[in-house]
Amino acid sequence: MSKINWSKLLSGTDIRGKAVGSKDSQIELTDQVVYGIGISFCTWLADKKNKEVKNLTIAVGHDSRVSAQRLKDALFKGLSHYDARVFDAGLASTPAMFMATVLEGHQYDGAIMITASHLPFDKNGFKFFSREGGLEKEDVKNILSFAAQNETDILENYKKEQLKEIKANKINLISDYCSHLKAIIRNELNKDIDKDKPLAGSKIIVDAGNGAGGFFADQILKDLGADIDGSQFLEADGYFPNHPPNPEDKEAIKSIKKAVVENDADLGIIFDTDVDRAAVVDGDGQAINRNKLIALAAKIVLEDYPGTTIVTDSVTSVGLNKFIENKLGGIHHRFKRGYKNVINEAKRLEEEGQTVPLAIETSGHAAFKENYFLDDGAYMVAKVLIKMANLKAEGINNIGELISDLEEAEIKKEYRMQIELEDFHQYGQDIIDNLKNYIKVIDNWELAPKNYQGIRVNCGNKDWFLLRMSLHDPVLVLNVECDDNSKLEYIKEQLRKFLSNYEKVKLENLR
């Protein structure tokens, strides 16, 4: 009988679990488990590359989490079990770890990032890459399945090898990654701009949230001539003592806005823990995240690729749709939640012949076609910096002016309602299917076209709601945008009436 619940560690396309606890029994990512994951990834990668494991090269990096070193040591032991060659990138970002498979001078067969993104300090996990990109959910399932099937051997081998010291080759990946980004920035500047110090005269503040993104201030902005005084929380600290490292978090956004205003900065930049997400704050202290970040990114790419398609997730606003299609002349393809869903949909549309320069989720995951469809917060910011420098040469000093005519609803709310059933999928789907009939009798409510996830209903003007199942949990999620509280209460009242017919749905949050 298995001692380890391997399948529980699957989280989308990642592996995640509790890595810090007062008792060993509280820890899911034990040394033995991580060792087994290393062996399993090597086996999967060797099969994918049609190579012997001993001929594989694999790079490993991590964010600032307190459990990173322990997990890295155990992972190296597993990766080295069949003599794969391992390379230690140290403190790194998730996008940099993918770039380790394609950057000149690196080009490893595979890479692993030790991170749990913005989750609390006691969690950790792994993101996996080959040269073809991030692994899909089925790939990670297969890695965990192999570990489960070979658990006995893994545990026995770990007993023999737990004291073995692995000497991984240290690599300065972040330095090479920064050089790569700076070359892109300099290459895309207008001809009359100083390529060496294009950001001279600009004050730009970075908030890394004590994650892995502190490198961006010193190794990119400062080298490009920017004044970075006032930047904050650049030091790696896996307890995240100042605010959650999350560009969606209200406390985090409040902190970077305050820093921009107090330092009279031209731009503020905030990253999540592993730098695959970002947001910015303009010189007026306006937070540009969620719909505003999508609008800004769309504005930038549609100038180079007019009339093309922008893929977003399902909770983007009516105002954003109007901005992309009516103001910018692009096509807005609203798809599902989940950054991997958004990216894969963009790739699918490309295969069908559409041009899709950008796939972006409201959480801040932004993937540009020109950058391998890699969700990379630092690359997103690099595109903003290029535009900012070019605008400044034209006499426009505030990047926020590019989205000044984006219409935004006054009220944006999310409600999460628990489904108290172990087998909840069909129950939740029945609710969503039945809601389609319920809305037909309510004045001015109509089903939005092209529902890819849940049911989205337009309620007149800019008002709308989306009811969907959570990607992973037994939860119904309701997103609402409207212009005043009376409209919000009306939408909630109608949905309470409908959902009260389903006794397994807990409505406390909606009340």
Side-chain angles (χ1 to χ4, degrees), residues 56-103:
L56 292 176
T57 56
I58 300 172
V60 177
H62 57 83
D63 65 20
S64 59
R65 291 175 183 277
V66 295
S67 55
Q69 187 63 50
R70 178 180 69 79
L71 268 59
K72 183 169 67 172
D73 291 344
L75 189 63
F76 278 155
K77 288 185 175 75
L79 295 174
S80 302
H81 175 71
Y82 292 123
D83 297 325
R85 294 172 58 206
V86 292
F87 297 81
D88 184 357
L91 187 67
S93 72
T94 291
M97 293 317 300
F98 164 72
M99 294 303 294
T101 68
V102 295
L103 270 182

Side-chain angles (χ1 to χ4, degrees), residues 32-51:
Q32 296 96 318
V33 166
V34 176
Y35 172 82
I37 290 169
I39 290 176
S40 300
F41 177 68
C42 276
T43 306
W44 178 89
L45 189 62
D47 182 65
K48 182 85 171 175
K49 298 289 184 182
N50 196 24
K51 282 186 172 184

Side-chain angles (χ1 to χ4, degrees), residues 10 12-13 135-142 340 471-472:
L10 181 69
T13 56
L135 271 59
E136 299 292 339
K137 186 173 185 177
E138 285 303 313
D139 298 323
V140 182
K141 273 186 179 180
N142 290 337
K340 199 69 172 176
L471 291 178
H472 308 298

Side-chain angles (χ1 to χ4, degrees), residues 360-490:
I360 182 168
E361 196 186 28
T362 48
S363 64
H365 287 282
F368 292 79
K369 176 185 175 182
E370 65 193 24
N371 190 45
Y372 305 94
F373 274 124
L374 172 67
D375 52 315
D376 184 345
Y379 190 88
M380 172 74 239
V381 172
K383 298 295 287 186
V384 172
L385 293 174
I386 294 163
K387 190 64 179 174
M388 179 180 166
N390 288 337
L391 285 174
K392 191 171 183 179
E394 299 169 11
I396 301 173
N397 294 316
N398 192 345
I399 194 78
E401 291 185 29
L402 295 182
I403 57 170
S404 59
D405 49 0
L406 171 67
E407 298 176 10
E408 285 264 84
E410 292 295 324
I411 297 172
K412 308 175 186 69
K413 294 288 186 180
E414 180 174 285
Y415 305 92
R416 301 176 71 85
M417 294 158 283
Q418 191 81 17
I419 299 176
E420 295 188 317
L421 278 175
E422 189 169 333
D423 186 11
F424 59 88
H425 293 96
Q426 188 57 54
Y427 191 81
Q429 188 57 51
D430 288 343
I431 292 172
I432 289 167
D433 290 341
N434 293 335
L435 181 58
K436 293 175 184 177
N437 292 321
Y438 179 79
I439 67 167
K440 292 176 182 178
V441 300
I442 301 177
D443 289 343
N444 296 321
W445 282 20
E446 61 180 9
L447 190 65
K450 297 182 180 178
N451 276 267
Y452 293 101
Q453 182 178 44
I455 176 171
R456 182 172 173 129
V457 177
N458 294 328
C459 307
N461 197 17
K462 299 194 294 288
D463 305 341
W464 61 271
F465 71 82
L466 171 70
L467 186 70
R468 60 185 173 86
M469 288 295 299
S470 166
L471 291 178
H472 308 298
D473 303 316
V475 172
L476 278 172
V477 184
L478 173 66
N479 294 92
V480 184
E481 288 196 9
C482 56
D483 278 335
D484 61 58
N485 279 315
S486 64
K487 293 178 180 178
L488 174 64
E489 290 306 318
Y490 179 74

